[in-house]
Amino acid sequence: MILIGQYDSPFVRRVGIALTLYGISFEQKPWSTFGDADRIRPYNPLTRVPTLVLDDGEVLIESHLMLDYLDSLVPAGQAMFPRAEPLRHKALKVAALATGMADKAVSLFYEQRLHSEVSDMWADRCRTQIATVLDVLEKDRAGQVSEFWFGDRIGHADIAVAAALRFLNDAHPGLVDMSGFPAIAQHAAKLEALPVFKLIAQEFVAPA
C-alpha cells in the first residue's frame, strides 16, 4: 500500500498509526496538496490527503473509509473500531467529533493564512465549534474509567482525538488553554508517549 500525505495532517497521521499498529506494510509518500498537487491528482481528483493506494491499484480517499477497510483485514477481536453495538456507534461518534474538530482547525488556519481579509464571522464560528467539541469530548473522557476510551486496547477513537489535538495545538498555538480540558489532555499525552506515535510524528509546517 501507499499512503500519500504528510504526517502533520491529523487525517494522514491517524491512518499511518493504524497501519503501523496493524503491522500492514506500506510506503509513505509525504506529498503536499500545495507543492505536490500534480503528483497527487492522478490518484485523487480531489487533490486531498490522505490518499491510500491499495495493492490492487484501487484508491481510497477519505480517512474513515481507509480505517474501515483496514479493520476488514484483521480478525474481529483486533479491529480498532468495535464491531458490536452500542460501543461501535459510540466510538464512531467520538472519532467523528475529533476529526470534525480537526477539520474546523484546518479551515480556521486557511482562513487566517490564505485570505488577505479574515472573515471574523467565519473565524468565530470555527473557534466556537472547536470549543464546543472540546467540551463534549472532555465530559465523555472524564466519565470513562478504562485505560483507553473504549476498553483496555487502543482504538481509532483514541487516535483520532490525539491526532486532532496535536494538530490544533501545533497549528494554533495558544488558541486553547488545555488546562481546562485535563481528561483529554492527559489522555492525548499518554498516547503521544507511545512508540508508534513517536515513530509517526511530524511538527506542523505551514504550506508554502
Side-chain angles (χ1 to χ4, degrees), residues 61-181:
I61 60 174
E62 199 281 325
S63 64
H64 178 75
L65 296 180
M66 295 173 195
L67 299 181
D68 184 65
Y69 173 75
L70 296 180
D71 278 3
S72 76
L73 302 181
V74 301
Q78 296 179 20
M80 288 191 287
F81 270 134
R83 296 278 177 88
E85 296 292 358
L87 288 184
R88 179 170 177 77
H89 76 261
K90 291 181 178 180
L92 288 169
K93 179 180 178 180
V94 169
L97 285 169
T99 55
M101 179 180 68
D103 187 59
K104 292 304 172 182
V106 171
S107 294
L108 180 60
F109 173 80
Y110 286 136
E111 178 66 28
Q112 296 171 332
R113 178 82 176 188
L114 300 181
H115 295 168
S116 57
E117 293 187 12
V118 175
S119 168
D120 290 337
M121 181 178 70
W122 179 250
D124 287 344
R125 178 179 172 83
C126 289
R127 294 188 193 100
T128 298
Q129 290 169 304
I130 289 169
T132 304
V133 170
L134 287 172
D135 282 335
V136 172
L137 291 175
E138 174 67 18
K139 291 175 183 176
D140 194 316
R141 181 57 197 167
Q144 307 290 335
V145 296
S146 53
E147 180 179 3
F148 295 100
W149 216 292
F150 294 99
D152 59 359
R153 292 191 306 114
I154 190 173
H156 293 310
D158 301 286
I159 297 167
V161 172
L165 289 178
R166 173 71 175 270
F167 177 83
L168 173 64
N169 290 306
D170 282 353
H172 303 285
L175 177 66
V176 175
D177 180 1
M178 291 306 299
S179 66
F181 308 97

Side-chain angles (χ1 to χ4, degrees), residues 180-208:
F181 308 97
I184 55 175
Q186 292 169 15
H187 189 63
K190 179 178 68 176
L191 292 174
E192 291 287 357
L194 296 176
V196 66
F197 278 75
K198 292 181 177 180
L199 177 66
I200 299 181
Q202 183 173 321
E203 293 296 330
F204 178 79
V205 178

